Amino acid sequence: MSDNPALLLVERDDKKRMRELYYSPEKTLHIVEKKSHREYRSKHQDTKELLTKIFLPAGYPNTVTPDYLLYQILNAAQAFCNSLASLLASRAALEGIGVGDPSATSTGAMLISVLQDIFGRIATIIGAYYLGTRLVPEAKKYRFLADVLNDIAVVVDVFNPVFSAFMFPGARVIGLCTSAALRAVCGVLAGGAKAAITLHFATPRGGVGDVGDLNAKDSSKETVLALLGMLLGSVMIPHITSPWVTYPVLLLLISVHLVINYIAVRGLAIRSPNRHRATIAWLWYRSKDECAPSPQAVASRELIFERPENIRDPTTSLVLGKCHVGSAPLDVMRGPALSQEYLDIFHADKYIVCFNPSHETGHLPIIHICFKEGFTRADELKSWIHAVEICRSIALNQVPIQKGSKAVELEHIRSTFQVVKEKYDHFVDHMKKAGWNFDESHLASGSGPKAVLLNIAQTPSRNIPT
């Protein structure tokens, strides 16, 4: 017998299952599957594992964020309600293009379909132009707004026969084109927001996910839900014929659909800061003894339809001020902002804050952030934090501000800048430890800065052109 020791290899897969391989020259390879205390597999367990592989991403739950499963369950429920409501809308739309009408022609139905397609494509182009750059920073808002537009399109389609019966003759065509345009914009919003949410799910704090696999598994779930919705709808819809039954059922489906969507979107704890989340985080940090909040804590205070320029106190829900990011420097730099003393405050930074203490229609401070050439995402975040600190200090009456008091405005900018300078790095470090991802911050939503400041230099007065 040989004195060579046996070779032992141990493996563990992503499901925490372990196997051991024994090898020695005197024996053949021998694999032993290690059994846990749950060990004896049943058909139920095998089925559960198969469904997990089909509908959940590889490596689940280690390759997705903790909010993934709840969102997918709620998303499945809302998709099922939407598929039933869409069947009611499809039936009404078919009636709108002439199905069941002896006087309707196939050519007329074809022309209406072409007109719907034209309106849909135009709406897609317009929606992408105006909203494309806002979808990632405000993914939660536009994900929910997409479902609102879809439900409005469903209502328009269902009421389309009423339009043709009680309104002017062209109302039927206008209704069909309107619903087509709404669905097209819905597709733009849902597609962009879904991409951002998928990226969020695929970047868990303790691992790395696969965006392609997430999208593929989502498509599988949506396919199954669509099939179930069509099967159930095929049984239900023939019995929902009168308006007195159709409208209550439609109202119920849409209400449930929107409520589930709202809960699902509110439950998303996105780790990349946008303006609203950065505002909540900084105000939390300043009021909680410099303790940084987790993404889940911020998500519980985040508003879905908040305007990006609002700086709102999450505890009181009061708007403290408004801030416009990426303003054209030559349009907004007036008063104290044109003094050398003011500009020297920001000489080492890639941004300048222009501050108006009040507004002609109210008493909220209005802040403009101008960027210098070469600014980065870190500069966007720091400048926004500075704007929030300005509004916070005014709200707390730390420095009384009166319109036209240039010396007080300058001192206020200097004092708040010093606060941000001293605390910003500490804030970012604690936020990262709390689970935030600053590599994907999105502060310049909308079209982004249209102009940047290239140069600041002194010149003799005689060189000023007349």
Side-chain angles (χ1 to χ4, degrees), residues 91-260:
R91 183 178 65 181
L94 290 174
E95 293 176 3
I97 62 175
V99 174
D101 185 357
S103 63
T105 64
S106 57
T107 302
M110 183 269 293
L111 291 176
I112 293 176
S113 298
V114 170
L115 197 59
Q116 284 183 286
D117 191 53
I118 291 173
F119 271 79
R121 292 176 186 273
I122 293 175
T124 297
I125 296 171
I126 295 174
Y129 174 75
Y130 281 104
L131 301 174
T133 56
R134 304 180 185 182
L135 300 180
V136 172
E138 308 292 335
K140 297 172 71 170
K141 175 198 296 184
Y142 288 105
R143 176 65 183 84
F144 184 70
L145 182 59
D147 287 293
V148 173
L149 294 180
N150 178 76
D151 287 342
I152 294 175
V154 169
V155 171
V156 172
D157 278 341
V158 170
F159 280 91
N160 194 58
V162 178
F163 297 157
S164 59
F166 296 100
M167 300 179 69
F168 55 92
R172 173 172 61 102
V173 177
I174 293 175
L176 291 172
C177 293
T178 300
S179 65
L182 289 171
R183 285 194 173 87
V185 177
C186 167
V188 173
L189 301 184
K194 181 181 178 181
I197 293 173
T198 301
L199 184 61
H200 157 68
F201 287 143
T203 53
R205 186 177 180 183
V208 178
D210 187 336
V211 175
D213 184 45
L214 277 170
N215 280 324
K217 297 302 173 56
D218 286 347
S219 297
S220 298
K221 291 192 286 287
E222 290 170 1
T223 300
V224 171
L225 291 170
L227 288 172
L228 292 175
M230 285 190 291
L231 290 175
L232 181 60
S234 299
V235 176
M236 292 177 54
I237 299 303
H239 302 286
I240 303 175
T241 54
S242 69
W244 301 110
V245 178
T246 301
Y247 300 153
V249 170
L250 179 66
L251 177 62
L252 175 63
L253 290 174
I254 288 179
S255 300
V256 173
H257 176 244
L258 291 178
V259 169
I260 293 175

Side-chain angles (χ1 to χ4, degrees), residues 301-340:
R301 292 163 172 79
E302 189 177 358
L303 302 179
I304 301 301
F305 285 108
E306 178 64 291
R307 295 178 65 87
E309 67 271 16
N310 281 353
I311 296 176
R312 186 187 300 273
D313 187 341
T315 58
T316 63
S317 296
L318 296 177
V319 177
L320 306 181
K322 296 181 181 294
C323 179
H324 302 280
V325 179
S327 300
L330 302 187
D331 291 339
V332 299
M333 291 180 67
R334 295 289 185 269
L338 291 178
S339 66
Q340 188 63 48

